[in-house]
Amino acid sequence: MLHRLRLDMRRNRIAYLFAVPAVVLLIIFSYIPMYDIVIAFKDYKPTLGVFGSPWVGLQHFRDFFGSIFAGQTIRNTLLISAYSFVFGFPLPILLALMLNEVRFPKYKRVVQTVSYMPYFISTVVVCGILKEFLAYNGLVSTLVNNLFGAAKQNYLSNARYFRTIIIASDIWQSVGWNSIIYLAALSSIDLELYDSAKIDGAGRFRQIVHVTLPGILPTVIVLMILTVGSILAVETDKILLLYTPLTYETGDVIGTFIYRRGIKNAQHSYSTAIGLMNTLVNLLLLFLVNMFSKKTTGESLW
Amino acid sequence: MVKAIGIKKKRRASRGERALDITICAILFVLSLIFLYPLWQVIVASVSDPNVVMKKAGMILFPEGWQVDSYKIVFDNRNIKSGFANTVLYMLAGTGFQYLITLISGFSMSKKNAMLNKPLLFFMMFTMYFGGGLIPTYLLLNKIGLMNNWLVLILPHGVNVWNIIIMRTHMQSIPDSLSEAAYIDGANDASILFKIIFPLSGAVSAVLILFTAVSYWNMWFEPMIYLTERNKYPLQSILREILINNDSNMLTGGLRNTQHIRQMKNQSFQTLVKYANIVVSTVPILVVYPFLQKYFIKGMLVGSLKG
C-alpha cells in the first residue's frame, strides 16, 4: 500500500504539486478559522489568544437564547426566507412560461435581455436607488401621496415596510436571471410531444398544462428543495446596507446580528457561538432536505 | 352543418389564442418597463434642473431643464477616480489569482489514476459546507497582519472550490487519448496542462473568469471591515459612503471649482450628483452585459448542473 502510494506520488508529482497552493490556502483561510471556532466555548480575549482564553462552556449560547435578540433575529430570518420563497419562487417560473409562449423571437430576446438588466446593477447601487426613491420627498412617497392621499413618510425607516422592501427589490433584481434555468428546461422539452398533443386536439392552454408543465416539473422540484434547504441562510448584504436601529425590529437577521455584535462591539466569542449554531442548523437542514430529495425524487447534492 | 360548426370552433380557438398572445406580450411589455424604469428615472433626473426635480418630486419621464455639472463633479471627484482604479486593480489581481489556482488544482484533481484524488476532493468540498464563519476569519486575518492590506481581498478568495469542481468536470470530459499521445512523446503533466488542456478550456475559463470578475466588481463588505484607509477603497465602498452613509466629503471629493462648490450647497443638486455617480458606475456594465450574456447564461447552467 505504502509502496504503491510512493509510486503514485512519483508518477503524479507534478499534478500533486499543482494542488499544493490550493491546499495551503485552504488550511490557512478555511481550516484554521474552523479550529478557532473553539472560542465559542471560551471567553476570548485578544491578549490571551485562542489557547489562553478561559473556557466558559455553553455560556454564550445560554446568553443568546436568554436574550430578546434570539427570538427577534430567528423570527426575522425565517420570515424573510419564507416570504422570499412564497413570492420569489413562482415568479421566475411564470416569467419563463410567458416568454416561452411568445412567438416573435426578436421580442422575446429583447424582453429577456431587459429582464436580466437589474441583475447587473451592483447591490450598493440598488440600495442607493432604493434609499432615494423611498425617502420622505422621494418618488414612492410622492406618488402614493398624489394617488391615494396617504401622508408622506420615509418608507425605509418604517419597520412595517422593511421586509417588503427587501423582498420586492430582491425579486426585481433576480426574477429575470432566475428564469434562465427554467427557460433551459423548457427548451429541452421534446417538440414531438407538442405535435402529438396538437394531433390529439389540444389547444395552447391544454398544451401548457399537459406538456409544458410536466416537462419542467423535475427542475422545479429540485430547485424548490434546494431553496428550502437554505432557508436560514439569508443574504445579508442588502439588509446591512439599508437597515437602521428603527428597523431592527423587522429587519435584523442572524447574520446582521453576528456582524454587529462581533465586529462593531467586538463580542467575539458571543457572535462566534451564534454563527456556529447557525452553520450547524443550516447543515442539518441541508442534510435532511437532501435525504428527503434522494428518497422522493432521486435527485441529490452528493 | 357539421362543417360549419367545425370552422366556427376552429376560429374561436384561434381567437382565444390570439388573445393569449396579446395578453402575454402586453404583460411582458409592462414588466420590461418595471425593470427599466428605476434606472431611467435616475438617468433622466441626473441631467435635469435640480430645482424642477425638487418641485416635481414624482415621476420624471424626460429631462426637465438641462445641466451636466453633476457629471463634471463626478469626473472631478478624486474618490471616484481612486475607487475605479482600486476596483480595476483588485479585479485583475483577484480574478487572475483565483483563475490560476482554479486551473492548476482543477487539473490536479482531474487525474483519474491519482490515489490522492478522492481525499483531496473531500478536503476541498468540506469547506463548502462548513466554515469558521465571519468572526474567526476576521480574527485570523487580523492576526496575520492582512488588516488594511489590499491582499486581504485577494488571498482568501484564491481557492473557489465550486469553480475548481466545474473546471475538474470539464477537464475530465476531454478525451484521454489527447494527453496519452503526448505522454508517449515524453511530455510531463505541466506541458500537458498548458499545451493541451488549457487551450481546450477557453469557454469554461471565460465563464469562470466572468463570474469572479463580477463578484470583485460588487465587493463592498470586506473592504469595509478590512480596509481602514479610504484611499484603498474600491468603487463600491466609495459609493456606499456616498449613497448610503450620505458622506458629503466623499460626494464632493476635493472639489476646487468655486461654482461647483456653490452648487453643492443645494440639497437637491446633491441628490442629482448622487444620481450621476450611479450612472457613471453602472452604465459601463449595462453596455457590456448584453454582449457577454451568453457566457453568463452558460455559466449559470453549468453551475446548476453540478448542483
Side-chain angles (χ1 to χ4, degrees):
Chain A
M1 180 68 195
L2 223 75
H3 178 66
R4 261 182 55 209
L5 187 64
R6 205 175 298 145
L7 266 178
D8 176 66
M9 293 281 261
R10 192 173 308 151
R11 196 182 44 196
N12 290 318
R13 75 181 176 280
I14 296 178
Y16 284 143
L17 214 60
F18 280 156
V20 169
V23 171
V24 171
L25 285 170
L26 279 180
I27 288 175
I28 298 175
F29 296 115
S30 297
Y31 282 91
I32 292 180
M34 248 183 248
Y35 172 75
D36 288 348
I37 289 178
V38 293
I39 66 170
F41 307 96
K42 290 182 160 209
D43 186 18
Y44 176 75
K45 295 270 187 304
T47 45
L48 298 175
V50 174
F51 285 99
S53 299
W55 292 95
V56 296
L58 296 176
Q59 187 59 47
H60 299 300
F61 295 88
R62 269 193 300 261
D63 283 352
F64 177 62
F65 285 105
S67 72
I68 56 159
F69 302 111
Q72 183 174 295
T73 54
I74 292 172
R75 194 186 65 231
N76 288 339
T77 307
L78 286 175
L79 280 177
I80 289 180
S81 281
Y83 288 143
S84 319
F85 178 70
V86 170
F87 296 104
F89 190 78
L91 288 175
I93 304 176
L94 270 177
L95 179 62
L97 286 175
M98 284 197 285
L99 282 168
N100 195 48
E101 292 301 318
V102 174
R103 285 191 288 188
F104 314 101
K106 267 206 184 120
Y107 185 68
K108 181 179 169 185
R109 211 172 316 130
V110 171
V111 173
Q112 263 178 285
T113 305
V114 167
S115 75
Y116 306 151
M117 199 254 333
Y119 183 81
F120 289 93
I121 303 177
S122 72
T123 314
V124 173
V125 166
V126 168
C127 291
I129 296 177
L130 281 172
K131 207 172 169 212
E132 291 300 329
F133 283 8
L134 296 167
Y136 183 83
N137 268 323
L139 176 66
V140 175
S141 181
T142 310
L143 280 184
V144 173
N145 178 261
N146 289 347
L147 292 175
F148 308 108
K152 284 193 166 191
Q153 59 170 311
N154 182 347
Y155 285 89
L156 262 180
S157 45
N158 188 334
R160 276 176 59 197
Y161 300 119
F162 191 78
R163 286 196 284 254
T164 313
I165 291 166
I166 293 288
I167 293 162
S169 60
D170 260 355
I171 293 175
W172 178 76
Q173 244 193 314
S174 64
V175 62
W177 189 250
N178 289 341
S179 71
I180 291 175
I181 190 155
Y182 298 110
L183 282 167
L186 284 167
S187 66
S188 66
I189 295 175
D190 194 348
L191 285 178
E192 278 177 27
L193 290 175
Y194 285 106
D195 288 337
S196 39
K198 261 180 234 161
I199 291 166
D200 291 344
R204 296 248 312 272
F205 292 109
R206 298 193 47 202
Q207 284 174 37
I208 295 176
V209 174
H210 294 291
V211 181
T212 312
L213 285 180
I216 60 166
L217 197 62
T219 312
V220 173
I221 291 177
V222 171
L223 288 180
M224 191 186 273
I225 286 168
L226 282 175
T227 317
V228 173
S230 58
I231 196 139
L232 268 183
V234 169
E235 194 65 55
T236 53
D237 274 41
K238 225 182 226 165
I239 301 178
L240 279 176
L241 286 166
L242 289 179
Y243 77 165
T244 58
L246 291 172
T247 44
Y248 283 171
E249 183 196 335
T250 52
D252 195 18
V253 294
I254 299 171
T256 53
F257 185 71
I258 291 171
Y259 160 72
R260 237 180 22 256
R261 286 307 175 91
I263 290 182
K264 280 188 148 172
N265 299 3
Q267 290 172 282
H268 299 130
S269 284
Y270 180 65
S271 15
T272 304
I274 305 168
L276 175 63
M277 175 208 76
N278 197 28
T279 312
L280 289 178
V281 174
N282 274 334
L283 210 57
L284 184 73
L285 258 174
L286 198 67
F287 264 108
L288 288 177
V289 165
N290 195 51
M291 227 167 61
F292 176 75
S293 155
K294 215 174 191 169
K295 273 208 178 123
T296 51
T297 64
E299 298 278 354
S300 73
L301 282 174
W302 56 79
Chain B
M1 185 66 187
V2 172
K3 212 176 175 184
I5 289 172
I7 288 168
K8 209 176 172 189
K9 232 183 184 171
K10 206 172 175 187
R11 197 189 285 150
R12 191 183 290 155
S14 76
R15 202 184 293 152
E17 285 182 7
R18 196 175 305 149
L20 179 74
D21 277 336
I22 292 172
T23 317
I24 285 176
C25 284
I27 293 174
L28 289 176
F29 183 73
V30 173
L31 280 179
S32 302
L33 289 184
I34 294 174
F35 291 133
L36 290 173
Y37 186 73
L39 205 61
W40 177 250
Q41 164 107 1
V42 168
I43 294 171
V44 167
S46 71
V47 291
S48 296
D49 181 332
N51 299 319
V52 181
V53 172
M54 193 187 65
K55 223 183 288 160
K56 228 181 153 184
M59 285 168 91
I60 309 168
L61 296 177
F62 297 101
E64 309 266 353
W66 181 262
Q67 54 77 30
V68 285
D69 287 339
S70 52
Y71 284 88
K72 285 186 191 147
I73 289 171
V74 174
F75 289 121
D76 266 352
N77 188 335
R78 57 157 188 255
N79 298 319
I80 294 290
K81 277 185 218 161
S82 79
F84 253 116
N86 288 336
T87 293
V88 170
L89 168 70
Y90 303 156
M91 227 161 114
L92 287 178
T95 310
F97 183 58
Q98 192 188 84
Y99 176 69
L100 188 68
I101 301 273
T102 305
L103 185 73
I104 60 176
S105 23
F107 174 71
S108 173
M109 313 228 324
S110 72
K111 304 265 317 181
K112 285 163 196 153
N113 57 3
M115 284 170 74
L116 296 181
N117 207 328
K118 278 269 157 62
L120 263 177
L121 189 65
F122 179 80
F123 179 82
M124 290 198 180
M125 299 255 304
F126 187 72
T127 63
M128 285 172 79
Y129 298 103
F130 190 74
L134 180 67
I135 306 303
T137 309
Y138 176 79
L139 293 176
L140 172 85
L141 294 174
N142 230 328
K143 203 158 48 190
I144 60 178
L146 281 178
M147 210 65 177
N148 200 28
N149 182 337
W150 64 273
L151 290 175
V152 77
L153 307 176
I154 313 293
L155 297 177
H157 291 285
V159 181
N160 182 327
V161 177
W162 189 248
N163 286 1
I164 291 176
I165 290 172
I166 289 173
M167 187 57 95
R168 168 181 185 259
T169 313
H170 159 75
M171 285 177 172
Q172 283 181 337
S173 72
I174 296 173
D176 291 335
S177 53
L178 287 175
S179 38
E180 269 158 23
Y183 282 125
I184 292 167
D185 291 342
N188 63 22
D189 276 335
S191 50
I192 300 261
L193 170 59
F194 291 109
K195 291 203 181 117
I196 295 173
I197 308 283
F198 173 66
L200 289 173
S201 308
V204 176
S205 301
V207 166
L208 297 183
I209 286 173
L210 219 50
F211 273 87
T212 311
V214 168
S215 75
Y216 269 99
W217 171 263
N218 275 325
M219 199 180 264
W220 67 275
F221 180 70
E222 288 169 284
M224 174 186 81
I225 61 175
Y226 294 126
L227 301 179
T228 46
E229 283 170 307
R230 299 283 178 83
N231 60 9
K232 290 179 180 165
Y233 269 12
L235 183 64
Q236 298 301 326
S237 303
I238 302 275
L239 285 175
R240 173 180 174 265
E241 300 295 331
I242 292 175
L243 300 174
I244 308 292
N245 291 358
N246 282 323
D247 185 325
S248 53
N249 288 331
M250 282 294 206
L251 182 66
T252 48
L255 209 57
R256 271 189 303 241
N257 183 322
T258 45
Q259 189 208 337
H260 289 165
I261 292 173
R262 205 177 51 243
Q263 280 173 309
M264 287 300 274
K265 297 215 168 88
N266 178 349
Q267 194 75 37
S268 47
F269 186 71
Q270 283 189 17
T271 306
L272 299 198
V273 178
K274 284 186 191 173
Y275 285 167
N277 273 300
I278 291 177
V279 174
V280 168
S281 64
T282 305
V283 165
I285 304 279
L286 298 188
V287 172
V288 174
Y289 92 86
F291 301 99
L292 296 174
Q293 67 174 327
K294 72 168 189 226
Y295 290 107
F296 281 110
I297 292 171
K298 204 187 237 165
M300 173 153 180
L301 296 176
V302 166
S304 60
L305 280 184
K306 271 313 291 176

mmCIF file of all heavy atoms in Angstrom, chain B residues 19 48 54 73 79 85 98 142-143 199 221 226 230 245 276:
data_model
loop_
_atom_site.group_PDB
_atom_site.id
_atom_site.type_symbol
_atom_site.label_atom_id
_atom_site.label_comp_id
_atom_site.label_asym_id
_atom_site.label_seq_id
_atom_site.Cartn_x
_atom_site.Cartn_y
_atom_site.Cartn_z
ATOM 1 N N ALA B 19 -55.805 36.163 -28.284
ATOM 2 C CA ALA B 19 -55.967 36.914 -27.041
ATOM 3 C C ALA B 19 -54.840 36.552 -26.076
ATOM 4 O O ALA B 19 -54.255 37.417 -25.426
ATOM 5 C CB ALA B 19 -57.326 36.605 -26.418
ATOM 6 N N SER B 48 -31.233 66.755 -15.195
ATOM 7 C CA SER B 48 -32.291 67.769 -15.134
ATOM 8 C C SER B 48 -31.887 68.934 -14.242
ATOM 9 O O SER B 48 -30.873 68.884 -13.538
ATOM 10 C CB SER B 48 -33.582 67.142 -14.598
ATOM 11 O OG SER B 48 -34.057 66.173 -15.481
ATOM 12 N N MET B 54 -36.847 68.945 -7.721
ATOM 13 C CA MET B 54 -37.297 69.010 -6.335
ATOM 14 C C MET B 54 -38.773 69.355 -6.271
ATOM 15 O O MET B 54 -39.528 68.802 -5.495
ATOM 16 C CB MET B 54 -36.478 70.030 -5.558
ATOM 17 C CG MET B 54 -36.693 69.923 -4.061
ATOM 18 S SD MET B 54 -35.874 71.245 -3.192
ATOM 19 C CE MET B 54 -36.770 72.658 -3.806
ATOM 20 N N ILE B 73 -18.846 67.181 -11.810
ATOM 21 C CA ILE B 73 -18.423 66.990 -10.415
ATOM 22 C C ILE B 73 -17.997 65.545 -10.167
ATOM 23 O O ILE B 73 -16.989 65.292 -9.514
ATOM 24 C CB ILE B 73 -19.567 67.426 -9.462
ATOM 25 C CG1 ILE B 73 -19.691 68.943 -9.522
ATOM 26 C CG2 ILE B 73 -19.301 66.961 -8.039
ATOM 27 C CD1 ILE B 73 -20.896 69.501 -8.826
ATOM 28 N N ASN B 79 -12.163 60.734 -5.196
ATOM 29 C CA ASN B 79 -12.532 59.463 -4.564
ATOM 30 C C ASN B 79 -13.050 58.469 -5.593
ATOM 31 O O ASN B 79 -12.745 57.282 -5.544
ATOM 32 C CB ASN B 79 -13.600 59.673 -3.500
ATOM 33 C CG ASN B 79 -13.102 60.568 -2.386
ATOM 34 O OD1 ASN B 79 -11.969 60.440 -1.956
ATOM 35 N ND2 ASN B 79 -13.940 61.495 -1.956
ATOM 36 N N ALA B 85 -9.848 53.036 -9.961
ATOM 37 C CA ALA B 85 -8.511 52.457 -10.129
ATOM 38 C C ALA B 85 -8.340 51.250 -9.208
ATOM 39 O O ALA B 85 -7.848 50.195 -9.637
ATOM 40 C CB ALA B 85 -7.443 53.508 -9.843
ATOM 41 N N GLN B 98 -7.260 33.827 -8.659
ATOM 42 C CA GLN B 98 -8.224 32.746 -8.471
ATOM 43 C C GLN B 98 -8.269 31.829 -9.695
ATOM 44 O O GLN B 98 -8.365 30.613 -9.563
ATOM 45 C CB GLN B 98 -9.618 33.322 -8.207
ATOM 46 C CG GLN B 98 -10.588 32.269 -7.718
ATOM 47 C CD GLN B 98 -11.997 32.793 -7.632
ATOM 48 O OE1 GLN B 98 -12.726 32.816 -8.601
ATOM 49 N NE2 GLN B 98 -12.382 33.244 -6.450
ATOM 50 N N ASN B 142 -6.862 39.478 10.892
ATOM 51 C CA ASN B 142 -6.298 40.497 11.759
ATOM 52 C C ASN B 142 -4.942 40.074 12.289
ATOM 53 O O ASN B 142 -3.977 40.828 12.266
ATOM 54 C CB ASN B 142 -7.260 40.684 12.947
ATOM 55 C CG ASN B 142 -7.573 42.124 13.171
ATOM 56 O OD1 ASN B 142 -6.735 42.981 12.912
ATOM 57 N ND2 ASN B 142 -8.766 42.408 13.632
ATOM 58 N N LYS B 143 -4.901 38.801 12.768
ATOM 59 C CA LYS B 143 -3.710 38.298 13.448
ATOM 60 C C LYS B 143 -2.539 38.161 12.481
ATOM 61 O O LYS B 143 -1.396 38.421 12.856
ATOM 62 C CB LYS B 143 -4.050 36.929 14.067
ATOM 63 C CG LYS B 143 -3.165 36.555 15.219
ATOM 64 C CD LYS B 143 -3.825 35.508 16.118
ATOM 65 C CE LYS B 143 -4.415 34.337 15.386
ATOM 66 N NZ LYS B 143 -5.253 33.464 16.223
ATOM 67 N N PRO B 199 -5.570 25.089 -23.764
ATOM 68 C CA PRO B 199 -6.166 25.635 -24.995
ATOM 69 C C PRO B 199 -7.576 25.094 -25.264
ATOM 70 O O PRO B 199 -8.342 25.712 -26.002
ATOM 71 C CB PRO B 199 -5.207 25.166 -26.096
ATOM 72 C CG PRO B 199 -3.921 24.914 -25.402
ATOM 73 C CD PRO B 199 -4.276 24.427 -24.032
ATOM 74 N N PHE B 221 -18.472 44.729 1.289
ATOM 75 C CA PHE B 221 -18.491 44.401 2.714
ATOM 76 C C PHE B 221 -17.078 44.151 3.253
ATOM 77 O O PHE B 221 -16.684 44.729 4.271
ATOM 78 C CB PHE B 221 -19.377 43.175 2.945
ATOM 79 C CG PHE B 221 -19.466 42.765 4.386
ATOM 80 C CD1 PHE B 221 -20.145 43.551 5.297
ATOM 81 C CD2 PHE B 221 -18.849 41.606 4.829
ATOM 82 C CE1 PHE B 221 -20.220 43.181 6.637
ATOM 83 C CE2 PHE B 221 -18.918 41.231 6.161
ATOM 84 C CZ PHE B 221 -19.602 42.025 7.066
ATOM 85 N N TYR B 226 -12.213 45.331 6.445
ATOM 86 C CA TYR B 226 -10.774 45.053 6.500
ATOM 87 C C TYR B 226 -9.903 46.245 6.136
ATOM 88 O O TYR B 226 -8.739 46.296 6.518
ATOM 89 C CB TYR B 226 -10.418 43.873 5.590
ATOM 90 C CG TYR B 226 -11.004 42.571 6.045
ATOM 91 C CD1 TYR B 226 -11.767 41.788 5.193
ATOM 92 C CD2 TYR B 226 -10.803 42.126 7.344
ATOM 93 C CE1 TYR B 226 -12.312 40.594 5.620
ATOM 94 C CE2 TYR B 226 -11.355 40.937 7.784
ATOM 95 C CZ TYR B 226 -12.105 40.172 6.913
ATOM 96 O OH TYR B 226 -12.654 38.999 7.348
ATOM 97 N N ARG B 230 -9.441 55.148 3.432
ATOM 98 C CA ARG B 230 -10.392 55.360 2.345
ATOM 99 C C ARG B 230 -9.737 55.309 0.963
ATOM 100 O O ARG B 230 -10.374 54.975 -0.011
ATOM 101 C CB ARG B 230 -11.066 56.733 2.498
ATOM 102 C CG ARG B 230 -11.853 56.892 3.777
ATOM 103 C CD ARG B 230 -13.170 56.162 3.647
ATOM 104 N NE ARG B 230 -13.961 56.235 4.871
ATOM 105 C CZ ARG B 230 -14.730 57.267 5.174
ATOM 106 N NH1 ARG B 230 -14.812 58.312 4.377
ATOM 107 N NH2 ARG B 230 -15.441 57.250 6.285
ATOM 108 N N ASN B 245 -24.357 56.220 3.289
ATOM 109 C CA ASN B 245 -23.990 56.928 4.518
ATOM 110 C C ASN B 245 -24.059 58.446 4.385
ATOM 111 O O ASN B 245 -23.744 59.161 5.335
ATOM 112 C CB ASN B 245 -22.579 56.529 4.951
ATOM 113 C CG ASN B 245 -22.531 55.099 5.427
ATOM 114 O OD1 ASN B 245 -23.557 54.426 5.465
ATOM 115 N ND2 ASN B 245 -21.367 54.628 5.787
ATOM 116 N N ALA B 276 -25.799 60.971 -10.685
ATOM 117 C CA ALA B 276 -24.733 60.930 -11.692
ATOM 118 C C ALA B 276 -23.694 59.883 -11.316
ATOM 119 O O ALA B 276 -23.173 59.166 -12.171
ATOM 120 C CB ALA B 276 -24.099 62.303 -11.843
#
